[in-house]
Amino acid sequence: MRNVVVTGIPRADLGRIDTLASYGVATVHEALGRTGYLGPGLRPAWPGARTGGNAVTVLCWPGDNLMIHVAVEQCRIGDLLVVTTTSPSTDGMFGELFATALQYRGVRGVVINAGVRDVAELRAMGFPAWSAAVSAQGTVKATPGAVNVPITIGGQLIRPGDTIIADDDGVLVCPREDLENGIESATARAAKEAATREAFGKGELGLDLYGLRDRLPELGLTYEEYDGDR
């Protein structure tokens, strides 16, 4: 691994990121062809947060948060800090003190493929965090890693400056060059969902709305009257 801090990364317009984030992770994930989801292993430290921002990526060694300290200096208004480790770790690498420093710089939250701590304080501050674990286990500050290099979480490539959106359903990455396409696709998907919601609210069945009923016999599904013997 090359120990490097890359400066001057590209960033997308925050207004456009907010538009994408407003549709929610689940809708955008579907709209993008079921791509970009960082997996069910990342959960919100506290419920109800929804945000989006430009990724500032951090690669740390397990149990070592030195590079998060290094990354804080690179953060700008509207960024999301995205952290992973060189091998699996659940140690509490991020907590209230980091959140205080990042909140001052206008950072919108953290996504960390490791542990967070100080959950009550993060909730009280209104600082969103998505993590693979919650752990009081502390860390050291000893081994250099990298900042603003491509990383992977949940099989998804995340580059510095890519768009990250997150909510109660998890975290999603949209490549920065696909942001406008993502907004267009999510807008269409949301309109489709609104029409479906209205139809379901009037009592229509998904079997009919989605044209599934005629397919059931082809799939080998049969209907039988209850005869009292089963």
Side-chain angles (χ1 to χ4, degrees):
M1 177 179 65
R2 185 171 170 230
N3 303 131
V4 64
V5 177
V6 178
T7 63
I9 65 171
R11 289 175 168 87
D13 179 78
L14 292 178
R16 303 305 287 162
I17 292 176
D18 289 343
T19 297
L20 186 71
S22 70
Y23 291 113
V25 168
T27 294
V28 176
H29 174 59
E30 295 285 352
L32 293 177
R34 297 194 296 260
T35 63
Y37 180 48
L38 271 55
L42 293 178
R43 302 302 306 146
W46 52 272
R50 172 179 287 190
T51 192
N54 292 293
V56 170
T57 61
V58 187
L59 182 60
C60 294
W61 287 86
D64 191 317
N65 65 6
L66 171 64
M67 296 312 293
I68 300 179
H69 284 279
V70 175
V72 171
E73 185 179 27
Q74 302 304 316
C75 290
R76 304 289 181 266
I77 293 172
D79 286 345
L80 270 174
L81 196 68
V82 184
V83 183
T84 193
T85 51
T86 57
S87 60
S89 174
T90 58
D91 293 339
M93 298 175 62
F94 185 98
E96 175 196 7
L97 298 181
F98 270 137
T100 300
L102 291 174
Q103 202 168 57
Y104 173 81
R105 303 179 78 86
V107 174
R108 293 179 165 188
V110 64
V111 173
I112 180 167
N113 193 28
V116 297
R117 53 199 263 178
D118 307 329
V119 171
E121 289 79 5
L122 294 177
R123 182 189 299 113
M125 295 171 63
F127 190 86
W130 287 261
S131 68
V134 173
S135 175
Q137 177 67 45
T139 60
V140 299
K141 304 166 181 60
T143 313
V147 174
N148 284 331
V149 299
I151 61 175
T152 58
I153 298 177
Q156 301 297 321
L157 176 67
I158 305 163
R159 303 168 304 168
D162 280 348
T163 295
I164 302 291
I165 65 171
D167 58 25
D168 283 342
D169 290 330
V171 184
L172 179 138
V173 58
C174 177
R176 56 179 178 265
E177 65 271 18
D178 291 343
L179 177 57
E180 291 304 321
N181 174 65
I183 292 172
E184 181 179 347
S185 299
T187 301
R189 177 78 190 186
K192 180 180 178 182
E193 290 177 351
T196 301
R197 187 179 304 109
E198 181 179 3
F200 284 172
K202 294 177 179 178
E204 293 187 43
L205 296 174
L207 284 175
D208 301 313
L209 191 64
Y210 297 141
L212 300 175
R213 191 179 299 279
D214 293 339
R215 293 179 52 198
L216 297 181
E218 301 171 7
L219 297 173
L221 184 68
T222 62
Y223 286 75
E224 297 179 3
E225 286 287 339
Y226 176 70
D227 63 8
D229 292 331
R230 359 178 167 180

